[in-house]
Amino acid sequence: MAGRRERKTFTEKNLLIILVVMWVFLAIATGGNFSSWANITNLIRQSSINGVVAIGMTLIIITGGIDLSVGSIVGLSGMVFAIFTSTRGEFQFPTIVGILLALGISALIGLINAVAVHDGKVPAFIATLGMMTLVRGVVMYISGGRMVTAVPLEYRRFAVLEFLGIPALAWSWIILAAFMMLVLKYTKFGRNLYAIGSNEEAARLSGINIRLNMYSFYIVAALFSGIAGLMLGTRMAAGVPTGGSGYELDAIASVVIGGASLSGGVGTVLGTALGALIIQTIRNGGNLLGVDPFIMQMVIGAIIILAVFFDQFVKNRRKGEGRKRLFKRA
Amino acid sequence: MPEEKTVIELEGINKTFPAVKALDNVSLSVKSGEVRGLVGENGAGKSTLIKIITGAYTKDSGTMIFEGNEITRNSPLISKALGIYAVYQDVMVTPDLSVAENFFLGQQPKIGPFINWKKMYKESREFLENIGLDIDVRKSIKELSIAESEMITISKALWQKPRLVIFDEPTAVLTRNETKILFQIIDELKNQGTAVIYISHNLEEVFDICDTVTVLKDGATVGTYTTQELENVEKLIPLMVGRSIEEMYSKKDTEPGKELLRVENLSGERFENISFHVRAGEVVGFFGLVGAGRTEIARALFGADFLKEGKISVEGKDVSIKTPKDALMKGIGYLPEDRRKQGIFLQQDIDFNINIINFDKVMAGPIINYGKAHSQARDYIDKLSIKIGSIFQPVSELSGGNQQKVIIARWLCKNTDVLIFDEPTVGIDVGTKSEIYKLFGEILSSNKGIILISSYLPELMGMSDRIYVISNGRMAGEVDKKDFSEEFLLTLAMKNIVSREKVKEAV
Ligand SMILES: Nc1ncnc2c1ncn2[C@@H]1O[C@H](COP(=O)(O)OP(=O)(O)OP(=O)(O)O)[C@@H](O)[C@H]1O
Ligand SMILES: [Mg+2]
């Protein structure tokens, strides 16, 4: 039996090569500014919040769905925390209670998404699009559209904490990503995710409880957004009503660049993490090189399209099939 | 008989995939009006050869000569233009279009800029009636059964008047009557001087319909023989599998043990009042015509479909089964009939596909022990001689029959107390068939029971201890081994079918 284990990590390997090439190029082009330890840790910290949201998005995209509500959940979570813990507010709960409340409410939104998608048979795109608008409305309403400041000190401090020279925010991402990588690979929860994503009927006939699993996936995804919301909150030292807007797009882009397939069944947390780093590298590097931010936006857009195109191209070549699959979407 | 000139000639074709050498110096030539059988074990390279002819795959080396011209560049479009028509193993018709549109694809009759629907419907209906198919041409393909849509693909072979027609395991999903129509179509093609390549694991069929047979083994040609010189199936098998099969159906007579499953008055969407039981060490056959409701009964029992009423007891205890998960917990497993749609996880690797229901056996707390998982998968890969490159290969890269085997391996590994096999050997080569039957013996000797649903009577009669016959959703009879005979079983199977038309349709 030929050991062709590397086959599975095909996309990851390519992404890693792309990332390294970009870093080497930028290190040279910026005369070492890019490769300074300060900039590298900064880059990882900048990627971390999107990176955490994207972990959750990976799960949903593997199910064959999509979650547009993640950005609003980021905003909601940070705002809920701020309102309940602000030392100038009416509750003034301890930090830990604030965290539990923020995550609990995020999980609830995830559950509602899951019910709409699984039981209500509303297409994920529509259900979470509605939820995105709805939740943002809630954030605006409870905050009156204003920032909520005076969050607890230890919460604000978290953003500047470092361990081994790496920011705590970056650690949060690294640990969560590593944990989810193991969960997806080594637990039945993870295996069920891929089974349901690649063939729901076959999964059902394999004795997998689809409803329970779908609920868990959406709840877990929302929890990751909730955590990201708290991470954002510590950085802003406040609850920001517009916090997290547009994050869904970066998250989707990271997942897609990371090699996941929008038709489900394919995708990895590692790929997504590399995808998130690639996006941030372009932003960060472009910045250092003084590239017009609007041009950078165009570049990122083009890269998303190219990533999917390249992936499909390689797959088709491998299968020896025509190009028609590019456009096939169930 | 038209003049017999060579239509297609392949010389020294090679094709290597990353994991295997699929074709090794294969040569083949087929004359006009000739029906050529192409046989070989699962993964021998039959479908790959076909895909090279149609240009779906590119060959690594070798020459292809079609009607005297060497074809250097090929693609599905080019081969179609040349007059090559293929019915693939994994059928894909355009599901949203109507039957009529499928016939006229790309060349609809028009009045000015508008499509002439009337003409399209009329011509396609007349065409189908002519060959004996009663299918509404206005229906879209996705509204048809698998067999019907396969028949549409098949009959297009006659419609398009090609020079070479290739059938890759066309009968796997067809009823007897549809198979008969297929054979008429092949006869007609033959008379028109079309060359035909016919792939099947049903060797009797190959002898019925083919003039000559080419045997492939491990990607290489073993030889080409006329069916006359081969005389019978027994002479063909050793050429394919490298050994002769002494005893295909190796079922030993055993004393049945305790009762494992009892079902009383089961009723559902398409069946009513079904009662039966399964004892340890016993193979219980289910016979019926296609559409009689056997699959529906099995699915309802397994919790996959809605069950109106009925009592199910497992080892004497009444149980309620609402989902497949319940069924599995009670020790009932089900190998689905439509394995492509309901069994396979196409994007995942072979290991995943076998283990997905078998992780329970290899858990260390909440963590999967992959070492053990891989070894139990390998164990069944060997037992079923599944031809793979590595267990980390996506299952989509396997040949059609090997994909089937992966799912059979999944259920054999699960080893539930009662295992329902729905048409387990369709698309599987003879050698492996006999291995599967041997594994039945292993299952039975560990005091488990098997329900075997099959439309292939020799298999059903060879392997079952008792056969229940289902006719039109109702139980038509229970037949003991000593009373097995094709006529008797067929008569029972038609018992509840009233109109003669229906009988003809179903057989
Ligand atoms: N796209 C592919 N990528 C990698 N390997 C492939 C691919 N297609 C086929 N193979 C391999 O080539 C070999 C021949 O496969 P092929 O499908 O031609 O077999 P077959 O004779 O049609 O078998 P079956 O009776 O099961 O349909 C197999 O070992 C299969 O795994
Ligand atoms: Mg094949």
Side-chain angles (χ1 to χ4, degrees), chain B residues 331 357-358 361 380 409-419 442-443 446 448:
Chain B
I357 59 171
N358 294 305
K361 297 183 198 164
Y380 280 91
R410 176 195 295 167
W411 285 102
L412 288 174
C413 180
K414 183 77 185 170
N415 200 6
T416 51
D417 296 339
V418 176
L419 192 43
E442 246 177 63
I443 297 176
S446 59
K448 319 232 161 183

Side-chain angles (χ1 to χ4, degrees), chain B residues 313-376:
Chain B
S313 33
V314 172
E315 296 191 25
K317 280 197 275 307
D318 286 3
V319 295
S320 144
I321 294 176
K322 293 217 163 55
T323 63
K325 190 172 180 159
D326 294 342
L328 277 167
M329 307 257 270
K330 299 286 181 291
I332 301 170
Y334 172 65
L335 171 80
E337 178 185 23
D338 185 352
R339 291 184 273 279
R340 270 191 88 73
K341 274 211 194 106
Q342 301 172 355
I344 226 154
F345 299 103
L346 212 51
Q347 296 108 324
Q348 311 304 334
D349 60 24
I350 296 163
D351 181 63
F352 181 104
N353 270 281
I354 295 179
N355 274 317
I356 186 67
I357 59 171
N358 294 305
F359 285 126
D360 287 332
K361 297 183 198 164
V362 297
M363 296 302 280
I367 307 292
I368 296 166
N369 180 337
Y370 271 107
K372 286 189 189 164
H374 296 335
S375 79
Q376 72 181 5

Side-chain angles (χ1 to χ4, degrees), chain A residues 184-204:
Chain A
L184 291 202
K185 170 92 194 174
Y186 288 99
T187 67
K188 286 212 273 177
F189 172 86
R191 301 287 90 186
N192 290 350
L193 171 66
Y194 287 96
I196 292 174
S198 38
N199 188 341
E200 189 177 319
E201 178 64 4
R204 192 172 75 94

Side-chain angles (χ1 to χ4, degrees), chain A residues 1-305:
Chain A
M1 253 178 258
R4 289 190 318 130
R5 208 171 180 144
E6 74 276 15
R7 194 40 165 295
K8 281 172 78 178
T9 53
F10 174 80
T11 320
E12 278 99 328
K13 222 186 208 164
N14 283 353
L15 288 170
L16 199 60
I17 293 170
I18 292 170
L19 198 60
V20 168
V21 168
M22 282 167 74
W23 284 14
V24 169
F25 167 79
L26 284 169
I28 296 166
T30 61
N33 278 348
F34 177 84
S35 54
S36 70
W37 181 250
N39 189 55
I40 293 288
T41 52
N42 190 31
L43 180 115
I44 299 177
R45 185 177 51 220
Q46 284 168 341
S47 321
S48 63
I49 295 176
N50 167 41
V52 171
V53 176
I55 297 173
M57 185 66 79
T58 311
L59 299 195
I60 301 303
I61 287 185
I62 294 175
T63 67
I66 198 148
D67 189 348
L68 299 178
S69 67
V70 291
S72 296
I73 298 176
V74 168
L76 180 68
S77 159
M79 186 54 79
V80 164
F81 178 86
I83 287 176
F84 281 114
T85 59
S86 171
T87 50
R88 273 185 242 133
E90 49 181 302
F91 301 101
Q92 305 194 4
F93 289 161
T95 306
I96 182 70
V97 178
I99 290 177
L100 290 177
L101 280 169
L103 294 185
I105 288 177
S106 304
L108 180 69
I109 307 290
L111 176 64
I112 299 172
N113 278 337
V115 171
V117 171
H118 181 264
D119 301 282
K121 304 270 175 270
V122 185
F125 186 92
I126 306 296
T128 60
L129 178 71
M131 191 55 85
M132 165 174 124
T133 314
L134 191 156
V135 170
R136 184 62 64 190
V138 170
V139 179
M140 290 296 175
Y141 182 77
I142 60 177
S143 64
R146 281 185 295 272
M147 295 236 294
V148 176
T149 52
V151 288
L153 186 64
E154 68 260 29
Y155 180 68
R156 277 180 279 155
R157 270 226 204 104
F158 185 76
V160 291
L161 274 185
E162 276 188 7
F163 180 65
L164 299 178
I166 295 174
L169 287 174
W171 275 118
S172 313
W173 176 35
I174 294 169
I175 290 168
L176 288 171
F179 176 71
M180 272 324 269
M181 256 168 73
L182 295 177
V183 166
L184 291 202
K185 170 92 194 174
Y186 288 99
T187 67
K188 286 212 273 177
F189 172 86
R191 301 287 90 186
N192 290 350
L193 171 66
Y194 287 96
I196 292 174
S198 38
N199 188 341
E200 189 177 319
E201 178 64 4
R204 192 172 75 94
L205 293 180
S206 303
I208 294 172
N209 185 336
I210 309 288
R211 170 181 283 127
L212 196 71
N213 276 285
M214 286 296 272
Y215 284 10
S216 334
F217 303 146
Y218 274 89
I219 289 173
V220 170
L223 277 174
F224 277 107
S225 301
I227 294 172
L230 294 171
M231 289 164 68
L232 180 67
T234 73
R235 264 186 81 183
M236 311 297 279
V240 184
T242 54
S245 338
Y247 280 26
E248 58 282 347
L249 299 181
D250 263 7
I252 294 169
S254 309
V255 176
V256 167
I257 292 177
S261 150
L262 286 177
S263 39
V266 182
T268 61
V269 173
L270 180 60
T272 298
L274 293 171
L277 279 175
I278 287 176
I279 292 181
Q280 199 54 43
T281 299
I282 295 167
R283 292 226 173 92
N284 179 300
N287 226 333
L288 291 177
L289 291 175
V291 180
D292 186 325
F294 297 137
I295 293 190
M296 253 138 59
Q297 193 170 346
M298 295 187 232
V299 171
I300 292 174
I303 283 181
I304 295 172
I305 297 171

Side-chain angles (χ1 to χ4, degrees), chain B residues 259-507:
Chain B
E259 186 174 284
L260 296 174
L261 175 73
R262 174 170 286 274
V263 166
E264 274 161 31
N265 300 321
L266 223 54
S267 299
E269 277 313 319
R270 292 184 51 196
F271 56 90
E272 54 188 45
N273 260 328
I274 303 291
S275 304
F276 62 90
H277 64 275
V278 181
R279 286 169 295 187
E282 178 174 63
V283 178
V284 175
F286 268 70
F287 182 64
L289 307 174
V290 172
R294 293 165 301 164
T295 294
E296 285 78 6
I297 295 170
R299 283 177 57 93
L301 168 62
F302 184 61
D305 287 339
F306 176 69
L307 189 59
K308 271 196 207 138
E309 55 186 315
K311 208 174 91 176
I312 302 171
S313 33
V314 172
E315 296 191 25
K317 280 197 275 307
D318 286 3
V319 295
S320 144
I321 294 176
K322 293 217 163 55
T323 63
K325 190 172 180 159
D326 294 342
L328 277 167
M329 307 257 270
K330 299 286 181 291
I332 301 170
Y334 172 65
L335 171 80
E337 178 185 23
D338 185 352
R339 291 184 273 279
R340 270 191 88 73
K341 274 211 194 106
Q342 301 172 355
I344 226 154
F345 299 103
L346 212 51
Q347 296 108 324
Q348 311 304 334
D349 60 24
I350 296 163
D351 181 63
F352 181 104
N353 270 281
I354 295 179
N355 274 317
I356 186 67
I357 59 171
N358 294 305
F359 285 126
D360 287 332
K361 297 183 198 164
V362 297
M363 296 302 280
I367 307 292
I368 296 166
N369 180 337
Y370 271 107
K372 286 189 189 164
H374 296 335
S375 79
Q376 72 181 5
R378 288 213 173 89
D379 194 23
Y380 280 91
I381 287 168
D382 289 345
K383 278 188 180 166
L384 292 177
S385 48
I386 306 181
K387 199 178 168 203
I388 62 167
S390 104
I391 58 172
F392 306 111
Q393 204 179 356
V395 74
S396 58
E397 287 181 2
L398 296 187
S399 78
N402 282 303
Q403 293 183 7
Q404 305 260 356
K405 290 195 214 170
V406 165
I407 305 179
I408 294 175
R410 176 195 295 167
W411 285 102
L412 288 174
C413 180
K414 183 77 185 170
N415 200 6
T416 51
D417 296 339
V418 176
L419 192 43
I420 310 170
F421 283 101
D422 200 347
E423 305 284 359
T425 58
V426 167
I428 291 199
D429 65 52
V430 274
T432 311
K433 268 187 204 168
S434 74
E435 291 307 312
I436 292 175
Y437 299 141
K438 282 202 194 106
L439 286 171
F440 273 25
E442 246 177 63
I443 297 176
L444 298 176
S445 64
S446 59
N447 280 323
K448 319 232 161 183
I450 291 174
I451 296 177
L452 175 62
I453 300 176
S454 173
S455 303
Y456 185 53
L457 269 172
E459 161 180 288
L460 203 60
M461 298 189 341
M463 290 309 295
S464 310
D465 294 298
R466 284 182 292 133
I467 294 179
Y468 290 102
V469 183
I470 311 292
S471 173
N472 213 4
R474 267 160 293 158
M475 186 62 80
E478 178 185 346
V479 185
D480 272 333
K481 188 158 196 141
K482 59 180 180 346
D483 302 323
F484 286 175
S485 84
E486 297 217 2
E487 297 74 41
F488 186 43
L489 290 168
L490 272 168
T491 323
L492 279 178
M494 283 182 270
K495 191 167 136 189
N496 296 335
I497 297 175
V498 221
S499 79
R500 173 173 289 246
E501 269 306 293
K502 265 276 172 53
V503 172
K504 206 183 93 199
E505 204 176 289
V507 172

Side-chain angles (χ1 to χ4, degrees), chain B residues 46-48 89 168-169 199 399-401:
Chain B
K46 304 179 295 293
S47 299
T48 306
Q89 192 170 10
D168 195 350
E169 282 179 51
I199 299 177
S399 78

